Amino acid sequence: MNEHSLRKKLSKLDIGGLRYFDSIGSTNDEALAWATSGAPDFSLVIADEQTHGRGRLDRKWFTPKRSGLAVSLILRLPASHLPYFSRTGGLAALSIAETCSGLGLAPRIKWPNDILINSKKVAGILIENIWAGDEVDSLVIGMGVNVYKDSVPPAELLQFPATSLEDELGKNPPAREEILFKILSAFTHWRERIGTDELIQIWEKLLAFRGEQVQVSGDIPITGELLGLESDGSLRLRDASSKSVIVRFGDVSLRPGA
Ligand code: BT5
Protein backbone atom coordinates (compact mmCIF):
# COMPACT_ATOMS: atom_id res chain seq x y z
CA MET A 1 0.00 0.00 0.00
CA ASN A 2 1.31 3.44 -0.90
CA GLU A 3 -0.14 6.82 -1.76
CA HIS A 4 -0.17 6.13 -5.50
CA SER A 5 -1.94 2.76 -5.23
CA LEU A 6 -4.47 4.22 -2.80
CA ARG A 7 -5.28 7.23 -4.97
CA LYS A 8 -5.69 4.95 -7.97
CA LYS A 9 -7.97 2.49 -6.17
CA LEU A 10 -10.09 5.17 -4.50
CA SER A 11 -10.41 7.36 -7.62
CA LYS A 12 -13.90 5.99 -8.36
CA LEU A 13 -15.18 7.27 -5.01
CA ASP A 14 -16.12 10.84 -4.33
CA ILE A 15 -13.35 11.62 -1.86
CA GLY A 16 -12.85 15.11 -0.44
CA GLY A 17 -9.07 14.77 0.02
CA LEU A 18 -6.42 12.24 1.01
CA ARG A 19 -3.39 12.48 3.28
CA TYR A 20 -1.21 9.39 3.36
CA PHE A 21 1.61 8.67 5.82
CA ASP A 22 4.09 5.79 5.94
CA SER A 23 4.12 6.34 9.69
CA ILE A 24 2.17 8.64 11.98
CA GLY A 25 1.26 8.95 15.67
CA SER A 26 -2.50 8.63 15.16
CA THR A 27 -4.52 9.19 11.98
CA ASN A 28 -7.35 10.52 14.17
CA ASP A 29 -5.10 13.29 15.56
CA GLU A 30 -4.14 14.35 12.03
CA ALA A 31 -7.78 14.18 10.89
CA LEU A 32 -8.99 16.24 13.87
CA ALA A 33 -6.43 18.96 13.06
CA TRP A 34 -7.34 18.86 9.37
CA ALA A 35 -11.08 18.95 10.08
CA THR A 36 -10.58 21.96 12.36
CA SER A 37 -8.77 23.78 9.56
CA GLY A 38 -11.54 23.08 7.03
CA ALA A 39 -11.01 19.62 5.47
CA PRO A 40 -13.74 18.89 2.90
CA ASP A 41 -16.40 16.27 3.59
CA PHE A 42 -15.28 12.65 3.06
CA SER A 43 -11.56 13.41 3.40
CA LEU A 44 -9.28 10.59 4.48
CA VAL A 45 -6.14 10.23 6.55
CA ILE A 46 -4.49 6.86 6.04
CA ALA A 47 -1.28 5.46 7.50
CA ASP A 48 0.70 2.29 7.03
CA GLU A 49 1.88 2.42 10.65
CA GLN A 50 0.65 4.18 13.79
CA THR A 51 3.03 4.74 16.67
CA HIS A 52 0.38 6.12 19.06
CA GLY A 53 -2.86 4.68 17.70
CA ARG A 54 -5.75 5.37 20.06
CA GLY A 55 -8.77 3.35 21.13
CA ARG A 56 -11.67 4.66 23.20
CA LEU A 57 -11.18 5.89 26.77
CA ASP A 58 -7.43 6.45 26.19
CA ARG A 59 -6.86 2.82 25.33
CA LYS A 60 -4.12 1.97 22.81
CA TRP A 61 -4.61 0.69 19.28
CA PHE A 62 -1.85 -1.38 17.71
CA THR A 63 -1.01 -0.82 13.97
CA PRO A 64 2.43 -2.13 13.08
CA LYS A 65 3.86 -1.46 9.60
CA ARG A 66 2.38 -3.28 6.58
CA SER A 67 -0.15 -5.09 8.74
CA GLY A 68 -3.55 -3.44 8.72
CA LEU A 69 -5.71 -0.48 7.86
CA ALA A 70 -5.55 2.69 9.95
CA VAL A 71 -7.96 5.16 8.43
CA SER A 72 -9.70 8.30 9.64
CA LEU A 73 -12.65 9.54 7.66
CA ILE A 74 -13.78 13.14 8.08
CA LEU A 75 -17.50 13.77 7.69
CA ARG A 76 -19.43 17.01 7.51
CA LEU A 77 -23.06 16.16 8.04
CA PRO A 78 -25.68 17.86 5.89
CA ALA A 79 -28.48 19.40 7.96
CA SER A 80 -30.83 16.58 6.94
CA HIS A 81 -28.49 14.01 8.58
CA LEU A 82 -28.09 15.86 11.89
CA PRO A 83 -31.10 14.14 13.53
CA TYR A 84 -29.38 10.79 12.83
CA PHE A 85 -25.98 11.84 14.13
CA SER A 86 -25.96 9.02 16.71
CA ARG A 87 -26.25 6.41 13.96
CA THR A 88 -22.82 7.24 12.52
CA GLY A 89 -21.00 4.53 14.49
CA GLY A 90 -23.45 2.03 13.07
CA LEU A 91 -22.68 3.16 9.52
CA ALA A 92 -19.00 2.49 10.05
CA ALA A 93 -19.49 -0.83 11.85
CA LEU A 94 -21.93 -2.03 9.21
CA SER A 95 -19.58 -1.03 6.38
CA ILE A 96 -16.69 -3.00 7.86
CA ALA A 97 -18.95 -5.95 8.72
CA GLU A 98 -20.40 -6.09 5.19
CA THR A 99 -16.90 -6.01 3.74
CA CYS A 100 -15.99 -9.01 5.92
CA SER A 101 -19.17 -10.81 4.79
CA GLY A 102 -18.18 -10.11 1.17
CA LEU A 103 -14.97 -12.03 1.85
CA GLY A 104 -17.01 -15.05 2.95
CA LEU A 105 -16.61 -14.44 6.70
CA ALA A 106 -19.35 -14.21 9.34
CA PRO A 107 -18.83 -10.94 11.25
CA ARG A 108 -20.75 -9.72 14.28
CA ILE A 109 -20.90 -6.20 15.73
CA LYS A 110 -20.12 -6.07 19.43
CA TRP A 111 -21.99 -2.95 20.49
CA PRO A 112 -21.12 -0.24 20.12
CA ASN A 113 -18.30 -0.44 17.61
CA ASP A 114 -16.20 -3.59 17.56
CA ILE A 115 -16.29 -6.04 14.67
CA LEU A 116 -15.82 -9.66 15.69
CA ILE A 117 -15.19 -12.77 13.68
CA ASN A 118 -15.47 -16.09 15.49
CA SER A 119 -15.81 -14.08 18.73
CA LYS A 120 -12.47 -12.31 18.21
CA LYS A 121 -11.96 -8.63 17.44
CA VAL A 122 -10.86 -7.90 13.89
CA ALA A 123 -11.64 -4.16 13.80
CA GLY A 124 -12.38 -1.23 16.10
CA ILE A 125 -13.84 2.23 15.56
CA LEU A 126 -13.13 5.49 17.37
CA ILE A 127 -15.44 8.41 16.60
CA GLU A 128 -14.49 11.92 17.69
CA ASN A 129 -16.61 15.02 17.13
CA ILE A 130 -15.66 18.63 16.54
CA TRP A 131 -18.22 21.05 17.92
CA ALA A 132 -19.04 24.59 16.84
CA GLY A 133 -21.04 25.80 19.83
CA ASP A 134 -23.94 23.38 20.27
CA GLU A 135 -23.70 22.05 16.72
CA VAL A 136 -21.46 19.32 15.39
CA ASP A 137 -19.06 20.88 12.89
CA SER A 138 -17.57 17.60 11.74
CA LEU A 139 -16.84 14.04 12.80
CA VAL A 140 -13.72 11.96 12.56
CA ILE A 141 -14.38 8.24 12.20
CA GLY A 142 -11.24 6.29 12.97
CA MET A 143 -11.25 2.71 11.73
CA GLY A 144 -8.61 0.13 12.51
CA VAL A 145 -8.83 -3.18 10.68
CA ASN A 146 -6.48 -6.11 11.25
CA VAL A 147 -5.69 -7.37 7.78
CA TYR A 148 -2.53 -9.47 8.12
CA LYS A 149 -1.52 -11.69 11.04
CA ASP A 150 1.12 -9.17 12.18
CA SER A 151 -1.60 -6.67 13.12
CA VAL A 152 -2.81 -8.84 16.00
CA PRO A 153 -1.32 -7.62 19.29
CA PRO A 154 0.29 -10.08 21.70
CA ALA A 155 -2.33 -11.74 23.88
CA GLU A 156 -0.93 -10.17 27.09
CA LEU A 157 -1.84 -6.69 25.79
CA LEU A 158 -5.47 -7.60 25.18
CA GLN A 159 -8.57 -7.67 27.36
CA PHE A 160 -10.45 -9.35 24.52
CA PRO A 161 -9.20 -11.94 21.96
CA ALA A 162 -8.14 -10.51 18.59
CA THR A 163 -7.76 -11.84 15.07
CA SER A 164 -7.01 -10.72 11.51
CA LEU A 165 -8.63 -11.25 8.14
CA GLU A 166 -5.65 -13.37 7.12
CA ASP A 167 -6.11 -15.63 10.17
CA GLU A 168 -9.83 -16.01 9.57
CA LEU A 169 -9.59 -16.56 5.82
CA GLY A 170 -6.71 -19.00 6.22
CA LYS A 171 -5.10 -17.42 3.17
CA ASN A 172 -3.88 -14.09 1.87
CA PRO A 173 -6.60 -11.44 2.08
CA PRO A 174 -7.18 -8.97 -0.77
CA ALA A 175 -4.86 -5.94 -0.88
CA ARG A 176 -5.55 -3.32 1.79
CA GLU A 177 -6.51 -0.75 -0.89
CA GLU A 178 -9.18 -3.15 -2.13
CA ILE A 179 -10.54 -3.75 1.37
CA LEU A 180 -10.68 -0.02 2.05
CA PHE A 181 -12.43 0.59 -1.26
CA LYS A 182 -15.12 -1.90 -0.24
CA ILE A 183 -15.54 -0.38 3.21
CA LEU A 184 -15.88 3.14 1.79
CA SER A 185 -18.27 2.00 -0.94
CA ALA A 186 -20.50 0.37 1.69
CA PHE A 187 -20.22 3.49 3.83
CA THR A 188 -21.36 5.67 0.93
CA HIS A 189 -24.30 3.33 0.32
CA TRP A 190 -25.44 3.38 3.95
CA ARG A 191 -24.76 7.08 4.44
CA GLU A 192 -27.40 7.84 1.83
CA ARG A 193 -29.77 5.67 3.88
CA ILE A 194 -28.83 6.99 7.31
CA GLY A 195 -32.44 7.88 8.16
CA THR A 196 -33.97 4.56 7.13
CA ASP A 197 -35.37 1.74 9.28
CA GLU A 198 -33.46 -0.65 7.02
CA LEU A 199 -30.16 0.60 8.44
CA ILE A 200 -31.25 -0.16 12.00
CA GLN A 201 -32.68 -3.56 11.02
CA ILE A 202 -29.54 -4.73 9.23
CA TRP A 203 -27.27 -3.33 11.94
CA GLU A 204 -29.41 -5.11 14.56
CA LYS A 205 -29.25 -8.44 12.71
CA LEU A 206 -25.47 -8.31 12.89
CA LEU A 207 -25.31 -7.61 16.63
CA ALA A 208 -23.24 -10.05 18.67
CA PHE A 209 -24.87 -11.71 21.72
CA ARG A 210 -28.51 -11.11 20.71
CA GLY A 211 -30.79 -13.05 23.00
CA GLU A 212 -27.91 -13.70 25.41
CA GLN A 213 -27.24 -12.43 28.92
CA VAL A 214 -24.75 -9.58 28.73
CA GLN A 215 -23.13 -7.03 30.95
CA VAL A 216 -22.63 -3.43 29.83
CA SER A 217 -19.71 -1.70 31.54
CA GLY A 218 -20.11 1.73 33.09
CA ASP A 219 -20.12 3.38 36.52
CA ILE A 220 -22.80 0.89 37.45
CA PRO A 221 -22.63 -2.20 35.20
CA ILE A 222 -25.98 -3.14 33.71
CA THR A 223 -26.89 -6.75 33.07
CA GLY A 224 -29.70 -8.25 31.07
CA GLU A 225 -30.73 -10.04 27.91
CA LEU A 226 -29.59 -8.20 24.77
CA LEU A 227 -32.74 -7.53 22.77
CA GLY A 228 -31.68 -5.13 20.01
CA LEU A 229 -31.35 -1.49 19.03
CA GLU A 230 -33.38 1.63 19.53
CA SER A 231 -33.85 3.89 16.51
CA ASP A 232 -30.97 6.13 17.66
CA GLY A 233 -28.58 3.16 17.85
CA SER A 234 -28.80 2.76 21.64
CA LEU A 235 -28.89 -0.77 23.00
CA ARG A 236 -32.04 -2.34 24.42
CA LEU A 237 -31.77 -4.93 27.19
CA ARG A 238 -34.31 -6.80 29.32
CA ASP A 239 -33.27 -6.82 32.95
CA ALA A 240 -33.91 -9.52 35.57
CA SER A 241 -37.33 -8.04 36.39
CA SER A 242 -38.30 -8.12 32.67
CA LYS A 243 -38.05 -4.34 32.44
CA SER A 244 -36.72 -2.83 29.22
CA VAL A 245 -33.48 -0.89 29.79
CA ILE A 246 -31.92 1.46 27.22
CA VAL A 247 -28.14 1.87 27.23
CA ARG A 248 -26.38 4.72 25.46
CA PHE A 249 -22.75 4.26 26.58
CA GLY A 250 -20.57 1.37 27.64
CA ASP A 251 -19.03 -1.80 26.28
CA VAL A 252 -20.96 -5.02 25.95
CA SER A 253 -19.57 -8.34 27.07
CA LEU A 254 -21.16 -11.68 27.79
CA ARG A 255 -22.27 -11.75 31.44
CA PRO A 256 -19.72 -13.69 33.46
CA GLY A 257 -21.17 -17.04 34.46
CA ALA A 258 -24.22 -16.63 32.20
C1 BT5 B 1 -11.25 0.67 19.55
O1 BT5 B 1 -11.11 1.09 20.83
O2 BT5 B 1 -11.46 -0.47 19.21
C2 BT5 B 1 -11.06 1.77 18.55
C3 BT5 B 1 -9.86 1.56 17.68
C4 BT5 B 1 -9.74 2.63 16.64
C5 BT5 B 1 -8.44 2.54 15.92
C6 BT5 B 1 -8.38 3.51 14.76
S1 BT5 B 1 -7.01 3.21 13.73
C7 BT5 B 1 -7.29 4.67 12.89
C8 BT5 B 1 -7.70 5.71 13.94
N1 BT5 B 1 -6.52 6.35 14.51
C9 BT5 B 1 -6.42 6.09 15.83
O3 BT5 B 1 -5.53 6.54 16.58
N2 BT5 B 1 -7.43 5.28 16.21
C10 BT5 B 1 -8.32 4.99 15.11
P1 BT5 B 1 -11.44 0.18 22.11
O4 BT5 B 1 -12.79 -0.45 21.96
O5 BT5 B 1 -11.18 1.09 23.25
O6 BT5 B 1 -10.38 -0.97 22.04
C11 BT5 B 1 -9.05 -0.77 22.43
C12 BT5 B 1 -8.52 -2.10 22.97
O7 BT5 B 1 -8.40 -3.03 21.86
C13 BT5 B 1 -7.14 -1.99 23.56
O8 BT5 B 1 -7.19 -1.72 24.93
C14 BT5 B 1 -6.53 -3.37 23.29
O9 BT5 B 1 -6.91 -4.27 24.32
C15 BT5 B 1 -7.27 -3.83 22.03
N3 BT5 B 1 -6.45 -3.67 20.81
C16 BT5 B 1 -5.45 -2.79 20.55
N4 BT5 B 1 -5.00 -2.94 19.30
C17 BT5 B 1 -5.73 -3.94 18.75
C18 BT5 B 1 -5.73 -4.56 17.48
N5 BT5 B 1 -4.93 -4.19 16.48
N6 BT5 B 1 -6.63 -5.57 17.29
C19 BT5 B 1 -7.48 -5.98 18.24
N7 BT5 B 1 -7.52 -5.43 19.48
C20 BT5 B 1 -6.66 -4.42 19.72
Side-chain angles (χ1 to χ4, degrees), residues 17-251:
L18 169 65
R19 289 185 181 174
Y20 173 78
F21 298 83
D22 287 330
S23 181
I24 198 171
S26 153
T27 55
N28 259 37
D29 289 346
E30 175 71 22
L32 285 168
W34 190 13
T36 307
S37 63
D41 179 50
F42 222 75
S43 291
L44 292 163
V45 179
I46 303 173
D48 186 41
E49 174 192 44
Q50 292 188 116
T51 54
H52 292 85
R54 296 190 283 111
R56 290 169 306 132
L57 307 171
D58 278 337
R59 295 188 285 234
K60 290 192 170 58
W61 186 260
F62 188 76
T63 319
K65 260 187 197 318
R66 290 184 290 277
S67 69
L69 276 170
V71 177
S72 298
L73 170 63
I74 300 169
L75 288 190
R76 297 191 178 277
L77 300 186
S80 61
H81 287 191
L82 285 176
Y84 306 108
F85 167 67
S86 60
R87 294 181 170 195
T88 318
L91 289 187
L94 195 49
S95 305
I96 297 174
E98 285 195 341
T99 300
C100 295
S101 304
L103 297 175
L105 299 167
R108 286 284 170 271
I109 298 170
K110 182 162 88 71
W111 191 90
N113 286 332
D114 289 347
I115 300 25
L116 309 182
I117 299 177
N118 287 324
S119 307
K120 287 174 275 182
K121 180 160 168 173
V122 72
I125 298 165
L126 169 67
I127 301 188
E128 296 179 292
N129 307 323
I130 296 171
W131 296 90
D134 291 344
E135 301 259 295
V136 185
D137 170 77
S138 47
L139 290 95
V140 169
I141 305 182
M143 297 179 272
V145 184
N146 296 340
V147 179
Y148 298 106
K149 287 174 191 278
D150 289 351
S151 55
V152 179
E156 63 272 19
L157 297 183
L158 296 172
Q159 297 111 340
F160 193 87
T163 190
S164 67
L165 295 176
E166 183 181 12
D167 281 306
E168 296 305 316
L169 288 167
K171 60 177 188 192
N172 245 348
R176 284 176 288 167
E177 296 87 332
E178 179 67 29
I179 295 170
L180 179 59
F181 175 79
K182 292 201 156 84
I183 293 171
L184 295 174
S185 304
F187 193 97
T188 305
H189 170 91
W190 283 113
R191 187 184 192 192
E192 287 160 7
R193 292 161 182 78
I194 193 167
T196 62
D197 293 344
E198 189 195 0
L199 169 71
I200 297 289
Q201 284 155 10
I202 296 197
W203 177 7
E204 192 173 62
K205 270 199 192 128
L206 284 168
L207 280 183
F209 314 138
R210 260 183 105 189
E212 295 188 66
Q213 289 292 323
V214 297
Q215 178 165 313
V216 188
S217 63
D219 291 343
I220 305 168
I222 302 168
T223 54
E225 181 189 343
L226 195 156
L227 296 180
L229 293 172
E230 291 290 285
S231 70
D232 67 351
S234 300
L235 199 65
R236 196 170 62 251
L237 305 183
R238 180 165 40 218
D239 72 8
S241 51
S242 289
K243 223 174 62 208
S244 192
V245 183
I246 310 300
V247 187
R248 290 196 170 75
F249 305 101
D251 278 307

